[in-house]
Amino acid sequence: MGTYAVTGSASGMGRTTADKLRAAGHTVIGVDLAEGDVVADLSTPQGRREAASEVLDAASGHLDGAVLAAGLGPMPGQERVIAQVNYLGVVELLKAWQPALAATGNAKVVVFSSNSTTTIPLVPRRVVRALLAGDAQKAVRGVRLFGRAAPLMVYAASKIAVSHWVRRHAVRAEWAGAGIRLNAIAPGAILTPLLEHQLANQPQVKAVRSFPIPIGGYGDASQLGDWVVFMLSDAADFLVGSVVFVDGGSDAYLRTDAWPRPVPPHGLARYLRRLRSHTPSR
Ligand code: NAD
């Protein structure tokens, strides 16, 4: 049985994941704002430092896996907190936990992304770049001109940035080379307190309700927990740097032929550089 850190363990998909891991006999160190084994505010640098070190103490420096589910939806007036929790609350913790994950030799990490990464148009690249550089304030300044759409823009940017961070790091020596499988799950609209809040919040109701979901209805938080547990299992030993969409078909509907796609002409030079610089491991 393993030891897993789960952020956002008090509600929604983090909670269903933690419950399923515990039911399977694993030890879960839950991190959340007001209720958890570790109580910390991931929107502040100090809260993130405390969460990182308290988990390492509780796990005795040895983690079989981590699930980064703490996050906010596109809530009006919360742009700064969205950037801090959804991006920095993932990457700062993972950087601190990497040695404990590497210590296991076969650890698995699942980061909560979103299908907003691919379904929200016009997210400014400079905002994503600011987050990847760790500058949440610059990211928030970069979405101000969007007015009422600013929370949605910073939300989508936070999920794009965290997905890029996962894919950049997953393939590196410190992660794949240390036996750590680093992946992301990209849910669509899942009926959790986060979505219920959006459905009860008048300015957002119309946009949420009109968003296309080909299968109909909303996703089930318990089923998403099953997906995460699967991505932490031995069945996922060959899953590295993937962003797994579980979204009722929204992404496929809105971007039908956008993926899979071959390497485009402007990307060929980079592709060949990567190919030549790779050192075979077998
Ligand atoms: P939720 O609101 O039910 O749970 C989120 C948890 O994060 C809560 O327990 C909350 O207390 C915690 N959290 C929020 N701010 C925090 C902070 N500052 N410090 C510590 N903990 C904090 O939400 P959910 O729907 O289960 O979402 C889980 C993840 O999935 C989030 O990252 C969310 O962005 C993402 N997501 C959700 C949906 C959806 O439709 N529900 C869709 C795509 C992605």
Side-chain angles (χ1 to χ4, degrees), residues 8 10-13 32-33 40-43 69-72 85 112-114 155 159 187-190 192-194:
S11 176
M13 295 181 271
D32 212 298
L33 198 50
D41 181 354
L42 299 178
S43 73
L72 290 91
V85 180
F112 270 80
S113 174
S114 165
Y155 175 78
K159 296 299 186 180
I190 312 299
T192 66
L194 184 155

Side-chain angles (χ1 to χ4, degrees), residues 213-229:
I213 304 172
I215 202 73
Y218 296 121
D220 175 70
S222 176
Q223 289 179 359
L224 268 289
D226 288 332
W227 274 91
V228 176
V229 171

